[in-house]
Amino acid sequence: MASLERQLGPKGFTRDPLAMEPWLSDWRGRVHGKAAALLSPANVDEVQAIVQLAAEARVAIVPQGGNSSMVAGATPSAAGDALLLSLRRMNAIRSLSPEDNVAIAEAGVILSDLHEAAARIGRRFPLSLGAKGTARIGGLISTNAGGTQVLRFGTMRSLVVGIEAVLPSGERFDGLSALRKDNRGYDLRQLLVGAEGTLGVVTAASLRLVPAVGARAVAWVGLAGPPAALTLLRRLEAATGESIESFEAMPANALAAVLRNIPGTRAPLAGTHEWNILVEATAPVGAPDPVDALTGLLGAAQEDELIEDAVVAASEAQAEALWKLRESIAEAERVDGPAAKHDVSVPVSAVPDFLVEARAAVEKRFAGSRVLAFGHLGDGNIHFNVQPPVGADGAAWLESEGAAVNAFVHDFVGVRGGSLSAEHGIGQLKLAEFARTAGPVRLHALQAIKRALDPLGIMNPGKLVPPPA
Amino acid sequence: MASLERQLGPKGFTRDPLAMEPWLSDWRGRVHGKAAALLSPANVDEVQAIVQLAAEARVAIVPQGGNSSMVAGATPSAAGDALLLSLRRMNAIRSLSPEDNVAIAEAGVILSDLHEAAARIGRRFPLSLGAKGTARIGGLISTNAGGTQVLRFGTMRSLVVGIEAVLPSGERFDGLSALRKDNRGYDLRQLLVGAEGTLGVVTAASLRLVPAVGARAVAWVGLAGPPAALTLLRRLEAATGESIESFEAMPANALAAVLRNIPGTRAPLAGTHEWNILVEATAPVGAPDPVDALTGLLGAAQEDELIEDAVVAASEAQAEALWKLRESIAEAERVDGPAAKHDVSVPVSAVPDFLVEARAAVEKRFAGSRVLAFGHLGDGNIHFNVQPPVGADGAAWLESEGAAVNAFVHDFVGVRGGSLSAEHGIGQLKLAEFARTAGPVRLHALQAIKRALDPLGIMNPGKLVPPPA
């Protein structure tokens, strides 16, 4: 410990409880841990030195970026013997290449900073999510982040073209070279994406950029239900190629919660509709504005009675206002009190039936509970939240029913071939449910890989990989 | 063995030397192996039974699909104790879903058959390559195949959304559910892609489909060199979004070889140019034909003197004729005799300098040798072939100089952050060079993963993973 303190200096090493405190709990304040020290290396050499010393001393390391995990994936255990390894000082964008369409960003770069840097060279990094001002590249990679543009560009996995990491052995993996094609064996980059820091510390990445957006069109659609929504999505995709970037679905009760609880919001359409869709289409610089095409397609859909009503934003301010409705759902829900939340996915074609059947099944099994389900319809990813009965003590209901609700929802998803973690990961909050549902084949393979690359078990223990029985 | 013979029946089991013979050599006839038996299971249950028996008996398994590997990745060793496991009878397309944009295809499905099936439901599977009439899905996945549409759609890795496989333990991994988002730990599907059958037998996959092509425009461009080509590519991409699917670069000597050696071909442009580019742009059904946009952009590029000349195909027959020029290069080269061939990649922006510098360095180091380099410019993937001096005995030259040429080219690529295998894989033909150049970190990680998932070492031994020193 003294050796680390000397090597890292005062900026890179602290045991001061006040300095450590903000980073020892997850951002939603559900899990509180302890750490032997907070290490903040300035470069990959220092990360290597830390991992090597930790390996020698058999001390656990918990990597942390923006600490915005939804599953407490970056919060140390309460034992207090682990080293909290913050990547926040490693926040350089090492290079930006418009020729390669690649940015090399260190793990501590904040997502919105990368957005701005890419825009300055006429490109963009096509992954965005609510926490973009907090979440950092290393965490976004380690959790294979999703967000609102997966429909067109995929998750983080498909945007990572190179990785630099320090492996649990203390060796440095130099995989930054941005090769679009490289068939030299098992793809270690892909293995580190979504590994939640359990196979090593991602220190930097080469990330794919795409042309800047020239124009975007944002529309709000009211329609009867998810089957019509899916038909609309496929029709828009067929007619516009890959210009549809977002296709977010919200039921009437989600929109109502936003209008009720978020100041300054107003209903985008005159009537109410069982389901609402937010659509965004984009076009590159120099190409025709997608607004005419989208307006025409939605008009035709209304004539065909596929949809009930629609409005296309006439200005950037209107577009922002529509997006705010979607992005405020989580906040609006919090105002209404606690809920049992689930981040699940099923095959896209199964979403319509799933939404109807899961809601009915849950509300029947848990009397008085109310389902509020919304999400990324085109990705098959539903944020499926179960609210306590009206008038119930929410916290007490969650305490007594939460685990049963979680198991019920996860099993419902599981038998339909779905996932209990579409985009948030496993961390520690979903570990027990993952262990319960994963099945032996997947569990054995994960445990074998973990053991192979981290035989000492020092990298983010207690996260993602259920311990062998 | 008798038990396998009984279980698989006469269609699924043979030791007849005549029946086995076509599958014991790689398709280019460079490597000849032997096998204890040729097993042709009809379904995944039979594959599981085979792997379980092989594990018990500690017998090696060599999975094989279309046997079109460029690196003898599906050819057994000469020892003769391995079981050759053909997936060719498992050739069902289990489902095609236009709602999910997913096809579930068994490992033995021939690529062109999948193309046709997707077309019948108004979709397409956007991966194509010269061997499409021979190559099969399992092999395309296990080698992370590339081809001519990687620029837009990525390699096989980005098209695989689900995998069913039999692991070396004999366990079945049921990962076919086509979830666009699934963050349950290390991505076993991605680990099996490009694993060359060393971590298990892929038996089926869920594959991404995209909307059918409504119209395509194919152009041939003459220009001064790779820097102009790269500028042109970025200009076309910026102006047309993602409609540019192919951007293939060929130097004058590659085109000359085709015109000289392939009957029925003719020069697409009046003059000769140092470099030639084949461009393909597509548009979905209902969208404007890309021919006008491409014609306009190429006209402007010629006015700007970025390019020297260009022709846009006026008919599908002309488009096919242009593609034939590109696809005949390998055949044209073979007529000219043997060459030391390399399938390398560097970052896209490094391609122009690489082409000039590598050619000069090789032709200087190996007196009289002639470089013929062509390929997927937009992917940074160059097929870099070194022909013997004019008048030399080609075979003898290769025998004496081939290994030195390979090492020289691979080292030249390596110091530029490139890969010695862009799309063909490692197999057995590149194993020694991979072992020599991979470096300890990558090697240790690969060996650890291999040991973890295949502790008995029965899955395609001698391929991809260099044995520990």
Side-chain angles (χ1 to χ4, degrees):
Chain A
M1 198 69 87
S3 141
L4 272 178
E5 185 165 10
R6 212 166 38 241
Q7 258 188 283
L8 298 171
K11 276 193 188 166
F13 183 100
T14 184
R15 309 184 68 170
D16 175 4
L18 274 178
M20 289 167 63
E21 193 272 330
W23 311 109
L24 293 174
S25 300
D26 78 307
W27 75 280
R28 286 167 72 184
R30 291 165 300 176
V31 180
H32 308 281
K34 292 179 184 165
L38 170 62
L39 313 181
S40 305
N43 53 54
V44 63
D45 292 330
E46 292 186 358
V47 176
Q48 263 194 291
I50 292 167
V51 175
Q52 283 163 0
L53 283 170
E56 278 170 31
R58 307 280 199 276
V59 172
I61 292 175
V62 179
Q64 189 179 83
N67 195 26
S68 56
S69 170
M70 301 292 279
V71 289
T75 306
S77 82
D81 51 357
L83 298 168
L84 188 58
L85 175 56
S86 165
L87 279 302
R88 288 180 288 275
R89 280 178 73 206
M90 291 186 61
N91 61 357
I93 294 175
R94 293 189 192 160
S95 67
L96 282 160
S97 164
E99 294 80 26
D100 281 327
N101 281 322
V102 165
I104 300 185
E106 291 185 342
V109 170
I110 292 173
L111 179 56
S112 56
D113 290 345
L114 179 61
H115 288 162
E116 287 165 21
R120 284 195 291 273
I121 62 160
R123 297 290 185 274
R124 66 173 168 141
F125 179 63
L127 182 135
S128 192
L129 36 71
K132 64 189 173 193
T134 308
R136 293 171 188 252
I137 295 303
L140 292 161
I141 290 171
S142 295
T143 59
N144 183 28
T148 51
Q149 292 163 323
V150 173
L151 186 61
R152 179 165 175 195
F153 296 104
T155 63
M156 199 69 180
R157 187 177 295 292
S158 57
L159 301 171
V160 170
V161 290
I163 278 188
E164 173 191 271
V166 176
L167 302 183
S169 58
E171 294 173 305
R172 184 190 307 188
F173 173 62
D174 276 317
L176 274 185
S177 192
L179 304 175
R180 285 182 58 94
K181 287 162 100 174
D182 181 11
N183 277 348
R184 286 176 292 172
Y186 316 144
D187 193 328
L188 300 179
R189 299 165 300 188
Q190 288 294 330
L191 195 56
L192 288 164
V193 175
E196 300 188 10
T198 63
L199 298 180
V201 183
V202 173
T203 53
S206 300
L207 300 166
R208 182 182 161 216
L209 304 178
V210 300
V213 170
R216 69 166 178 169
V218 176
W220 191 275
V221 179
L223 43 67
L230 196 52
T231 303
L232 176 66
L233 172 60
R234 296 306 175 219
R235 196 189 274 198
L236 295 178
E237 284 180 332
T240 67
E242 284 164 344
S243 75
I244 304 297
E245 295 205 356
S246 300
F247 197 86
E248 301 286 310
M250 293 147 282
N253 60 351
L255 176 59
V258 170
L259 299 175
R260 185 170 64 238
N261 296 331
I262 307 295
T265 55
R266 62 184 198 85
L269 300 173
T272 60
H273 305 272
E274 279 295 304
W275 280 83
N276 303 272
I277 306 292
L278 177 69
V279 184
E280 177 164 320
T282 70
V285 178
D289 191 316
V291 70
D292 291 342
L294 188 59
T295 305
L297 288 162
L298 292 176
Q302 199 168 345
E303 271 181 33
D304 296 350
E305 299 185 358
L306 178 61
I307 67 176
E308 297 169 351
D309 198 2
V311 60
V312 180
S315 68
E316 191 55 27
Q318 279 186 22
E320 287 293 334
L322 294 180
W323 265 111
K324 189 182 175 187
L325 295 174
R326 163 65 183 87
E327 288 177 342
S328 302
I329 296 178
E331 191 187 337
E333 262 203 287
R334 269 197 294 278
V335 175
D336 280 344
K341 300 188 172 183
H342 312 89
D343 161 44
V344 302
S345 63
V346 292
V348 177
S349 64
V351 170
D353 285 348
F354 173 81
L355 285 169
V356 172
E357 293 167 12
R359 178 174 181 165
V362 167
E363 293 182 348
K364 181 177 172 207
R365 166 74 182 73
F366 299 94
S369 71
R370 296 157 302 151
V371 167
L372 192 151
F374 61 97
H376 318 291
L377 183 75
D379 309 327
N381 178 190
I382 306 298
H383 298 302
F384 190 91
N385 299 342
V386 184
Q387 299 173 323
V390 177
D393 175 337
W397 182 83
L398 261 192
E399 181 70 28
S400 70
E401 301 290 328
V405 172
N406 293 346
F408 187 86
V409 171
H410 294 157
D411 288 343
F412 200 91
V413 169
V415 298
R416 281 153 186 81
S419 169
L420 59 78
S421 183
E423 61 178 4
H424 295 165
I426 301 298
Q428 43 186 316
L429 293 183
K430 287 193 182 170
L431 193 62
E433 276 292 276
F434 181 43
R436 185 179 71 79
T437 58
V441 179
R442 185 187 291 266
L443 276 186
H444 293 164
L446 261 58
Q447 289 160 348
I449 293 167
K450 168 72 175 173
R451 215 160 38 232
L453 295 181
D454 182 18
L456 303 175
I458 60 169
M459 290 307 311
N460 211 9
K463 316 287 165 51
L464 183 59
V465 185
Chain B
M1 200 67 87
S3 140
L4 271 178
E5 186 164 9
R6 211 165 37 239
Q7 260 188 280
L8 298 171
K11 275 191 186 169
F13 183 100
T14 183
R15 309 184 68 172
D16 173 5
L18 272 179
M20 289 166 64
E21 193 271 330
W23 311 108
L24 293 174
S25 300
D26 79 307
W27 73 280
R28 286 166 74 184
R30 292 165 300 177
V31 179
H32 307 280
K34 292 180 184 162
L38 169 62
L39 313 181
S40 306
N43 53 54
V44 63
D45 292 330
E46 291 185 358
V47 176
Q48 263 194 292
I50 292 168
V51 175
Q52 284 163 0
L53 284 170
E56 277 170 32
R58 305 283 198 274
V59 171
I61 292 175
V62 179
Q64 190 180 82
N67 196 26
S68 55
S69 170
M70 302 292 279
V71 290
T75 307
S77 82
D81 52 356
L83 298 168
L84 188 58
L85 175 56
S86 165
L87 279 302
R88 287 181 289 274
R89 281 179 72 206
M90 290 185 62
N91 62 356
I93 295 176
R94 293 189 194 161
S95 66
L96 282 162
S97 162
E99 293 81 26
D100 281 326
N101 281 321
V102 164
I104 300 185
E106 290 186 344
V109 170
I110 293 173
L111 178 56
S112 55
D113 289 344
L114 179 61
H115 288 161
E116 287 165 23
R120 283 194 293 272
I121 62 160
R123 298 289 185 274
R124 67 176 168 139
F125 178 63
L127 183 135
S128 192
L129 36 70
K132 64 189 173 193
T134 307
R136 293 172 189 250
I137 294 304
L140 292 161
I141 290 171
S142 296
T143 58
N144 184 26
T148 51
Q149 293 163 322
V150 173
L151 185 61
R152 179 166 177 197
F153 296 105
T155 61
M156 198 69 181
R157 185 178 294 292
S158 57
L159 300 173
V160 171
V161 289
I163 279 188
E164 173 193 271
V166 176
L167 302 182
S169 59
E171 292 172 306
R172 183 191 308 189
F173 173 61
D174 274 317
L176 273 186
S177 191
L179 303 176
R180 284 184 59 94
K181 288 162 99 173
D182 181 11
N183 277 347
R184 287 176 293 171
Y186 317 143
D187 194 328
L188 300 178
R189 297 164 301 190
Q190 288 294 329
L191 195 57
L192 288 164
V193 175
E196 301 188 9
T198 63
L199 298 180
V201 183
V202 173
T203 52
S206 300
L207 300 165
R208 183 181 161 216
L209 303 177
V210 299
V213 171
R216 70 167 180 170
V218 176
W220 191 275
V221 179
L223 43 69
L230 196 51
T231 303
L232 176 66
L233 172 61
R234 295 306 176 218
R235 196 188 274 199
L236 296 178
E237 284 180 331
T240 67
E242 286 164 341
S243 76
I244 304 297
E245 296 206 356
S246 300
F247 197 86
E248 302 286 310
M250 295 146 281
N253 59 353
L255 177 60
V258 170
L259 299 175
R260 185 169 64 240
N261 296 330
I262 306 296
T265 56
R266 62 186 198 81
L269 300 173
T272 60
H273 306 273
E274 280 295 304
W275 281 82
N276 304 272
I277 306 291
L278 178 70
V279 185
E280 176 165 319
T282 69
V285 178
D289 191 316
V291 70
D292 291 343
L294 188 60
T295 305
L297 288 162
L298 292 176
Q302 198 168 347
E303 271 181 32
D304 296 349
E305 297 185 1
L306 177 63
I307 67 175
E308 297 169 351
D309 198 2
V311 61
V312 180
S315 67
E316 191 55 23
Q318 279 185 22
E320 287 294 334
L322 295 179
W323 265 111
K324 189 182 178 186
L325 295 174
R326 163 67 184 85
E327 289 177 340
S328 302
I329 297 177
E331 189 186 337
E333 263 202 286
R334 269 196 295 277
V335 175
D336 281 344
K341 300 188 174 187
H342 313 88
D343 161 46
V344 302
S345 63
V346 293
V348 176
S349 64
V351 170
D353 285 350
F354 173 81
L355 284 170
V356 172
E357 293 167 11
R359 178 175 179 164
V362 167
E363 292 183 350
K364 182 177 173 207
R365 167 71 182 74
F366 300 93
S369 72
R370 298 157 300 152
V371 167
L372 190 150
F374 62 97
H376 319 292
L377 184 75
D379 309 327
N381 178 191
I382 307 298
H383 297 301
F384 190 91
N385 299 341
V386 184
Q387 299 173 321
V390 177
D393 175 336
W397 183 83
L398 261 193
E399 181 70 27
S400 70
E401 300 290 330
V405 171
N406 293 347
F408 187 86
V409 171
H410 293 157
D411 288 343
F412 200 91
V413 169
V415 298
R416 282 155 183 81
S419 169
L420 61 77
S421 181
E423 60 178 5
H424 294 166
I426 301 298
Q428 43 185 317
L429 293 183
K430 287 192 182 173
L431 194 61
E433 276 294 274
F434 181 43
R436 184 179 72 79
T437 57
V441 180
R442 186 188 291 267
L443 275 186
H444 293 163
L446 260 59
Q447 288 160 350
I449 294 167
K450 169 71 174 174
R451 215 162 36 231
L453 295 182
D454 182 18
L456 303 175
I458 58 168
M459 290 306 311
N460 212 7
K463 316 286 165 50
L464 183 58
V465 185

